[in-house]
Amino acid sequence: MPLEFPPQLIEILRSAKSIAILTGAGISAESGVPTFREAQTGLWAQYDPTELATPEAFRRNPKLVWEWYEWRRALVAKASPNPGHVALANLESQLTARGSRFTLITQNVDGLHQRAGSQNIVELHGNVWRTKCFDEDVVVDSWPDTNEAPPHCPHCNGLLRPDVVWFGEPLPRPALDAAVDAAQSCDAFFSIGASSLVHPAASLPYLAIERGALTVEINPDETPLTRAMTHSLRGKAGEILPALLKALSL
Ligand code: BV8
């Protein structure tokens, strides 16, 4: 049975001049990438991600944290963008073709939005495919393959780390500014696959609400954001987004 959407949602999306989308780990769930809330598998089941994704954990045990990210990179390398990622890329190209502004703000670090073809992406929490020096805080593109875990920086011999934002670390200012600007100037804001627990990303939808934008949540579960949104579509991103794109038939 085709999914039904509120007529107001379709009307506003059809005429929106500016759309902002915030995605969380849930949009990669149907690609087989475990979300932060799901228990981790195998060796990593004993660890809480919020305990590993911190500078303190890296200082305490750099090898463990580096290997956790190697495991996650291997997982993501085997994953493919799912219909939810692809629908967002298609929505962006259709809306921008008619002159609308489209900003995809993601909390995810897996790079699946890029692989699906999305263009205007704001990476709030970095990208697990980029590596930087822990001491110099600059991205490093290559280093001697010495099988060390973590490898050492070719410039200063410090330790290399993934270019992601850990808990307790500030978000990249340009990314946060771009996300705030998009949320404060959009006609429609979507929060897709986000538990709305991690800040400051979780505060972005409220900027859109204050602006009077139409706000939509897409999530199989309720979140702390649900009751504040104009519409809350209960279901999987990989099913709802393709159906929404079809209903819009721009
Ligand atoms: C900051 C990159 C300040 C790394 C991530 C004490 C000390 C310091 C800070 C804090 C503190 N207490 C609180 C804070 C703030 C803290 C925070 O918010 N903590 C939480 C736990 C309370 N935030 C920070 O630390 C941030 N920095 O505040 O800095 C500062 C300022 C100046 C100077 C110094 C410091 C940094 C936060 C970024 C952390 N990095 N990722 C990595 O990935 O390894 S966060 C990481 O977890 C993800 O990126 C993501 O953002 C988050 C997980 O959230 P979700 O994406 O929502 O995923 P989750 O699994 O939670 O939920 C999935 C959802 O999808 C669910 O709702 C589920 O129902 C749904 N779903 C499932 N399947 C589907 C689906 N939806 C749709 N379709 C489906 N098929």
Side-chain angles (χ1 to χ4, degrees), residues 34-58:
T35 69
F36 256 62
R37 302 285 155 239
E38 286 161 358
Q40 302 212 92
T41 55
L43 164 70
W44 303 105
Q46 60 192 300
Y47 296 102
D48 169 358
T50 55
E51 293 302 307
L52 283 174
T54 67
E56 293 75 24
F58 185 76

PDB file of all heavy atoms in Angstrom, residues 34-58:
ATOM      1  N   PRO A  34      26.030  -0.317  11.794  1.00  0.00           N
ATOM      2  CA  PRO A  34      25.319  -0.236  13.073  1.00  0.00           C
ATOM      3  C   PRO A  34      25.235   1.198  13.590  1.00  0.00           C
ATOM      4  O   PRO A  34      26.185   1.972  13.444  1.00  0.00           O
ATOM      5  CB  PRO A  34      26.154  -1.098  14.028  1.00  0.00           C
ATOM      6  CG  PRO A  34      27.463  -1.288  13.370  1.00  0.00           C
ATOM      7  CD  PRO A  34      27.282  -1.080  11.916  1.00  0.00           C
ATOM      8  N   THR A  35      24.070   1.543  14.165  1.00  0.00           N
ATOM      9  CA  THR A  35      23.943   2.891  14.735  1.00  0.00           C
ATOM     10  C   THR A  35      24.625   2.903  16.107  1.00  0.00           C
ATOM     11  O   THR A  35      24.980   1.861  16.649  1.00  0.00           O
ATOM     12  CB  THR A  35      22.454   3.244  14.946  1.00  0.00           C
ATOM     13  OG1 THR A  35      21.964   2.408  15.997  1.00  0.00           O
ATOM     14  CG2 THR A  35      21.660   3.055  13.676  1.00  0.00           C
ATOM     15  N   PHE A  36      24.783   4.097  16.631  1.00  0.00           N
ATOM     16  CA  PHE A  36      25.450   4.219  17.936  1.00  0.00           C
ATOM     17  C   PHE A  36      24.645   3.560  19.039  1.00  0.00           C
ATOM     18  O   PHE A  36      25.164   3.074  20.023  1.00  0.00           O
ATOM     19  CB  PHE A  36      25.639   5.703  18.258  1.00  0.00           C
ATOM     20  CG  PHE A  36      27.057   6.149  18.050  1.00  0.00           C
ATOM     21  CD1 PHE A  36      27.617   6.086  16.803  1.00  0.00           C
ATOM     22  CD2 PHE A  36      27.824   6.575  19.110  1.00  0.00           C
ATOM     23  CE1 PHE A  36      28.943   6.469  16.599  1.00  0.00           C
ATOM     24  CE2 PHE A  36      29.151   6.960  18.912  1.00  0.00           C
ATOM     25  CZ  PHE A  36      29.695   6.907  17.664  1.00  0.00           C
ATOM     26  N   ARG A  37      23.308   3.573  18.884  1.00  0.00           N
ATOM     27  CA  ARG A  37      22.438   3.047  19.949  1.00  0.00           C
ATOM     28  C   ARG A  37      22.429   1.520  19.952  1.00  0.00           C
ATOM     29  O   ARG A  37      22.199   0.908  20.955  1.00  0.00           O
ATOM     30  CB  ARG A  37      20.995   3.534  19.781  1.00  0.00           C
ATOM     31  CG  ARG A  37      20.844   5.023  19.775  1.00  0.00           C
ATOM     32  CD  ARG A  37      20.962   5.693  21.127  1.00  0.00           C
ATOM     33  NE  ARG A  37      21.390   7.058  20.920  1.00  0.00           N
ATOM     34  CZ  ARG A  37      22.501   7.569  21.440  1.00  0.00           C
ATOM     35  NH1 ARG A  37      23.268   6.844  22.198  1.00  0.00           N
ATOM     36  NH2 ARG A  37      22.887   8.789  21.174  1.00  0.00           N
ATOM     37  N   GLU A  38      22.734   0.908  18.766  1.00  0.00           N
ATOM     38  CA  GLU A  38      22.688  -0.572  18.739  1.00  0.00           C
ATOM     39  C   GLU A  38      23.958  -1.107  19.384  1.00  0.00           C
ATOM     40  O   GLU A  38      25.020  -0.535  19.270  1.00  0.00           O
ATOM     41  CB  GLU A  38      22.637  -1.065  17.278  1.00  0.00           C
ATOM     42  CG  GLU A  38      21.292  -0.856  16.605  1.00  0.00           C
ATOM     43  CD  GLU A  38      21.452  -0.925  15.065  1.00  0.00           C
ATOM     44  OE1 GLU A  38      22.583  -1.089  14.577  1.00  0.00           O
ATOM     45  OE2 GLU A  38      20.435  -0.768  14.383  1.00  0.00           O
ATOM     46  N   ALA A  39      23.834  -2.282  20.040  1.00  0.00           N
ATOM     47  CA  ALA A  39      25.050  -2.870  20.645  1.00  0.00           C
ATOM     48  C   ALA A  39      26.029  -3.138  19.507  1.00  0.00           C
ATOM     49  O   ALA A  39      25.623  -3.509  18.417  1.00  0.00           O
ATOM     50  CB  ALA A  39      24.676  -4.178  21.315  1.00  0.00           C
ATOM     51  N   GLN A  40      27.292  -2.939  19.781  1.00  0.00           N
ATOM     52  CA  GLN A  40      28.303  -3.227  18.776  1.00  0.00           C
ATOM     53  C   GLN A  40      28.496  -4.736  18.689  1.00  0.00           C
ATOM     54  O   GLN A  40      28.113  -5.454  19.561  1.00  0.00           O
ATOM     55  CB  GLN A  40      29.590  -2.526  19.154  1.00  0.00           C
ATOM     56  CG  GLN A  40      29.395  -1.028  19.271  1.00  0.00           C
ATOM     57  CD  GLN A  40      30.647  -0.322  18.883  1.00  0.00           C
ATOM     58  OE1 GLN A  40      30.793   0.022  17.719  1.00  0.00           O
ATOM     59  NE2 GLN A  40      31.529  -0.161  19.828  1.00  0.00           N
ATOM     60  N   THR A  41      29.089  -5.194  17.583  1.00  0.00           N
ATOM     61  CA  THR A  41      29.167  -6.650  17.391  1.00  0.00           C
ATOM     62  C   THR A  41      30.567  -7.156  17.749  1.00  0.00           C
ATOM     63  O   THR A  41      31.522  -6.395  17.828  1.00  0.00           O
ATOM     64  CB  THR A  41      28.905  -6.982  15.897  1.00  0.00           C
ATOM     65  OG1 THR A  41      29.845  -6.201  15.148  1.00  0.00           O
ATOM     66  CG2 THR A  41      27.496  -6.606  15.504  1.00  0.00           C
ATOM     67  N   GLY A  42      30.635  -8.472  17.975  1.00  0.00           N
ATOM     68  CA  GLY A  42      31.911  -9.161  18.174  1.00  0.00           C
ATOM     69  C   GLY A  42      32.764  -8.523  19.262  1.00  0.00           C
ATOM     70  O   GLY A  42      32.276  -8.164  20.321  1.00  0.00           O
ATOM     71  N   LEU A  43      34.066  -8.364  18.898  1.00  0.00           N
ATOM     72  CA  LEU A  43      35.046  -7.854  19.878  1.00  0.00           C
ATOM     73  C   LEU A  43      34.568  -6.552  20.503  1.00  0.00           C
ATOM     74  O   LEU A  43      34.780  -6.271  21.679  1.00  0.00           O
ATOM     75  CB  LEU A  43      36.369  -7.601  19.126  1.00  0.00           C
ATOM     76  CG  LEU A  43      37.417  -6.736  19.831  1.00  0.00           C
ATOM     77  CD1 LEU A  43      38.005  -7.484  21.007  1.00  0.00           C
ATOM     78  CD2 LEU A  43      38.500  -6.320  18.839  1.00  0.00           C
ATOM     79  N   TRP A  44      33.881  -5.740  19.689  1.00  0.00           N
ATOM     80  CA  TRP A  44      33.558  -4.389  20.170  1.00  0.00           C
ATOM     81  C   TRP A  44      32.320  -4.368  21.028  1.00  0.00           C
ATOM     82  O   TRP A  44      31.961  -3.326  21.573  1.00  0.00           O
ATOM     83  CB  TRP A  44      33.435  -3.455  18.963  1.00  0.00           C
ATOM     84  CG  TRP A  44      34.701  -3.478  18.149  1.00  0.00           C
ATOM     85  CD1 TRP A  44      34.917  -4.087  16.953  1.00  0.00           C
ATOM     86  CD2 TRP A  44      35.964  -2.924  18.546  1.00  0.00           C
ATOM     87  NE1 TRP A  44      36.208  -3.939  16.563  1.00  0.00           N
ATOM     88  CE2 TRP A  44      36.887  -3.230  17.521  1.00  0.00           C
ATOM     89  CE3 TRP A  44      36.399  -2.204  19.656  1.00  0.00           C
ATOM     90  CZ2 TRP A  44      38.214  -2.832  17.581  1.00  0.00           C
ATOM     91  CZ3 TRP A  44      37.720  -1.812  19.712  1.00  0.00           C
ATOM     92  CH2 TRP A  44      38.621  -2.128  18.686  1.00  0.00           C
ATOM     93  N   ALA A  45      31.631  -5.510  21.178  1.00  0.00           N
ATOM     94  CA  ALA A  45      30.377  -5.512  21.959  1.00  0.00           C
ATOM     95  C   ALA A  45      30.650  -5.089  23.402  1.00  0.00           C
ATOM     96  O   ALA A  45      29.791  -4.541  24.084  1.00  0.00           O
ATOM     97  CB  ALA A  45      29.762  -6.913  21.928  1.00  0.00           C
ATOM     98  N   GLN A  46      31.902  -5.288  23.862  1.00  0.00           N
ATOM     99  CA  GLN A  46      32.187  -4.973  25.277  1.00  0.00           C
ATOM    100  C   GLN A  46      32.409  -3.473  25.512  1.00  0.00           C
ATOM    101  O   GLN A  46      32.589  -3.037  26.638  1.00  0.00           O
ATOM    102  CB  GLN A  46      33.442  -5.735  25.718  1.00  0.00           C
ATOM    103  CG  GLN A  46      34.675  -5.352  24.884  1.00  0.00           C
ATOM    104  CD  GLN A  46      35.846  -6.294  25.121  1.00  0.00           C
ATOM    105  OE1 GLN A  46      36.308  -6.412  26.254  1.00  0.00           O
ATOM    106  NE2 GLN A  46      36.296  -6.957  24.053  1.00  0.00           N
ATOM    107  N   TYR A  47      32.453  -2.697  24.391  1.00  0.00           N
ATOM    108  CA  TYR A  47      32.775  -1.275  24.556  1.00  0.00           C
ATOM    109  C   TYR A  47      31.556  -0.398  24.287  1.00  0.00           C
ATOM    110  O   TYR A  47      30.744  -0.696  23.438  1.00  0.00           O
ATOM    111  CB  TYR A  47      33.886  -0.875  23.581  1.00  0.00           C
ATOM    112  CG  TYR A  47      35.205  -1.580  23.840  1.00  0.00           C
ATOM    113  CD1 TYR A  47      35.596  -2.653  23.050  1.00  0.00           C
ATOM    114  CD2 TYR A  47      36.016  -1.185  24.889  1.00  0.00           C
ATOM    115  CE1 TYR A  47      36.797  -3.317  23.289  1.00  0.00           C
ATOM    116  CE2 TYR A  47      37.227  -1.837  25.140  1.00  0.00           C
ATOM    117  CZ  TYR A  47      37.606  -2.902  24.341  1.00  0.00           C
ATOM    118  OH  TYR A  47      38.781  -3.552  24.576  1.00  0.00           O
ATOM    119  N   ASP A  48      31.467   0.724  25.015  1.00  0.00           N
ATOM    120  CA  ASP A  48      30.432   1.731  24.748  1.00  0.00           C
ATOM    121  C   ASP A  48      31.055   2.768  23.809  1.00  0.00           C
ATOM    122  O   ASP A  48      32.083   3.369  24.156  1.00  0.00           O
ATOM    123  CB  ASP A  48      30.028   2.381  26.081  1.00  0.00           C
ATOM    124  CG  ASP A  48      29.162   3.620  25.863  1.00  0.00           C
ATOM    125  OD1 ASP A  48      28.918   3.981  24.693  1.00  0.00           O
ATOM    126  OD2 ASP A  48      28.728   4.228  26.866  1.00  0.00           O
ATOM    127  N   PRO A  49      30.464   2.969  22.611  1.00  0.00           N
ATOM    128  CA  PRO A  49      31.071   3.891  21.647  1.00  0.00           C
ATOM    129  C   PRO A  49      31.380   5.267  22.243  1.00  0.00           C
ATOM    130  O   PRO A  49      32.405   5.869  21.946  1.00  0.00           O
ATOM    131  CB  PRO A  49      30.031   4.007  20.536  1.00  0.00           C
ATOM    132  CG  PRO A  49      29.168   2.812  20.669  1.00  0.00           C
ATOM    133  CD  PRO A  49      29.198   2.427  22.111  1.00  0.00           C
ATOM    134  N   THR A  50      30.494   5.712  23.162  1.00  0.00           N
ATOM    135  CA  THR A  50      30.761   7.067  23.689  1.00  0.00           C
ATOM    136  C   THR A  50      31.997   7.055  24.601  1.00  0.00           C
ATOM    137  O   THR A  50      32.534   8.093  24.932  1.00  0.00           O
ATOM    138  CB  THR A  50      29.535   7.581  24.489  1.00  0.00           C
ATOM    139  OG1 THR A  50      29.228   6.614  25.495  1.00  0.00           O
ATOM    140  CG2 THR A  50      28.341   7.795  23.582  1.00  0.00           C
ATOM    141  N   GLU A  51      32.427   5.822  25.007  1.00  0.00           N
ATOM    142  CA  GLU A  51      33.660   5.726  25.808  1.00  0.00           C
ATOM    143  C   GLU A  51      34.891   5.647  24.905  1.00  0.00           C
ATOM    144  O   GLU A  51      35.994   5.967  25.305  1.00  0.00           O
ATOM    145  CB  GLU A  51      33.607   4.460  26.683  1.00  0.00           C
ATOM    146  CG  GLU A  51      32.537   4.499  27.766  1.00  0.00           C
ATOM    147  CD  GLU A  51      32.721   5.697  28.703  1.00  0.00           C
ATOM    148  OE1 GLU A  51      33.827   5.876  29.242  1.00  0.00           O
ATOM    149  OE2 GLU A  51      31.762   6.470  28.843  1.00  0.00           O
ATOM    150  N   LEU A  52      34.683   5.172  23.662  1.00  0.00           N
ATOM    151  CA  LEU A  52      35.824   5.016  22.741  1.00  0.00           C
ATOM    152  C   LEU A  52      36.038   6.290  21.931  1.00  0.00           C
ATOM    153  O   LEU A  52      37.181   6.652  21.634  1.00  0.00           O
ATOM    154  CB  LEU A  52      35.559   3.853  21.769  1.00  0.00           C
ATOM    155  CG  LEU A  52      35.741   2.434  22.305  1.00  0.00           C
ATOM    156  CD1 LEU A  52      35.297   1.423  21.245  1.00  0.00           C
ATOM    157  CD2 LEU A  52      37.191   2.174  22.681  1.00  0.00           C
ATOM    158  N   ALA A  53      34.943   6.981  21.599  1.00  0.00           N
ATOM    159  CA  ALA A  53      35.046   8.158  20.715  1.00  0.00           C
ATOM    160  C   ALA A  53      35.362   9.402  21.544  1.00  0.00           C
ATOM    161  O   ALA A  53      34.588  10.371  21.588  1.00  0.00           O
ATOM    162  CB  ALA A  53      33.737   8.337  19.943  1.00  0.00           C
ATOM    163  N   THR A  54      36.514   9.351  22.263  1.00  0.00           N
ATOM    164  CA  THR A  54      36.932  10.508  23.078  1.00  0.00           C
ATOM    165  C   THR A  54      38.452  10.660  22.997  1.00  0.00           C
ATOM    166  O   THR A  54      39.169   9.659  22.839  1.00  0.00           O
ATOM    167  CB  THR A  54      36.595  10.317  24.576  1.00  0.00           C
ATOM    168  OG1 THR A  54      37.408   9.251  25.096  1.00  0.00           O
ATOM    169  CG2 THR A  54      35.123  10.002  24.793  1.00  0.00           C
ATOM    170  N   PRO A  55      38.953  11.915  23.139  1.00  0.00           N
ATOM    171  CA  PRO A  55      40.412  12.086  23.122  1.00  0.00           C
ATOM    172  C   PRO A  55      41.081  11.389  24.309  1.00  0.00           C
ATOM    173  O   PRO A  55      42.199  10.890  24.213  1.00  0.00           O
ATOM    174  CB  PRO A  55      40.594  13.603  23.195  1.00  0.00           C
ATOM    175  CG  PRO A  55      39.267  14.194  23.515  1.00  0.00           C
ATOM    176  CD  PRO A  55      38.226  13.176  23.220  1.00  0.00           C
ATOM    177  N   GLU A  56      40.336  11.308  25.430  1.00  0.00           N
ATOM    178  CA  GLU A  56      40.905  10.640  26.608  1.00  0.00           C
ATOM    179  C   GLU A  56      41.161   9.156  26.303  1.00  0.00           C
ATOM    180  O   GLU A  56      42.196   8.603  26.663  1.00  0.00           O
ATOM    181  CB  GLU A  56      39.948  10.746  27.813  1.00  0.00           C
ATOM    182  CG  GLU A  56      39.747  12.151  28.355  1.00  0.00           C
ATOM    183  CD  GLU A  56      38.849  13.006  27.449  1.00  0.00           C
ATOM    184  OE1 GLU A  56      38.039  12.422  26.676  1.00  0.00           O
ATOM    185  OE2 GLU A  56      38.998  14.258  27.483  1.00  0.00           O
ATOM    186  N   ALA A  57      40.172   8.522  25.644  1.00  0.00           N
ATOM    187  CA  ALA A  57      40.329   7.086  25.306  1.00  0.00           C
ATOM    188  C   ALA A  57      41.533   6.915  24.386  1.00  0.00           C
ATOM    189  O   ALA A  57      42.332   5.989  24.543  1.00  0.00           O
ATOM    190  CB  ALA A  57      39.060   6.568  24.633  1.00  0.00           C
ATOM    191  N   PHE A  58      41.710   7.859  23.440  1.00  0.00           N
ATOM    192  CA  PHE A  58      42.825   7.736  22.501  1.00  0.00           C
ATOM    193  C   PHE A  58      44.156   7.911  23.227  1.00  0.00           C
ATOM    194  O   PHE A  58      45.111   7.177  23.000  1.00  0.00           O
ATOM    195  CB  PHE A  58      42.679   8.777  21.387  1.00  0.00           C
ATOM    196  CG  PHE A  58      43.715   8.649  20.289  1.00  0.00           C
ATOM    197  CD1 PHE A  58      43.604   7.655  19.336  1.00  0.00           C
ATOM    198  CD2 PHE A  58      44.805   9.508  20.239  1.00  0.00           C
ATOM    199  CE1 PHE A  58      44.560   7.527  18.318  1.00  0.00           C
ATOM    200  CE2 PHE A  58      45.763   9.385  19.242  1.00  0.00           C
ATOM    201  CZ  PHE A  58      45.649   8.396  18.278  1.00  0.00           C
TER     202      PHE A  58
END
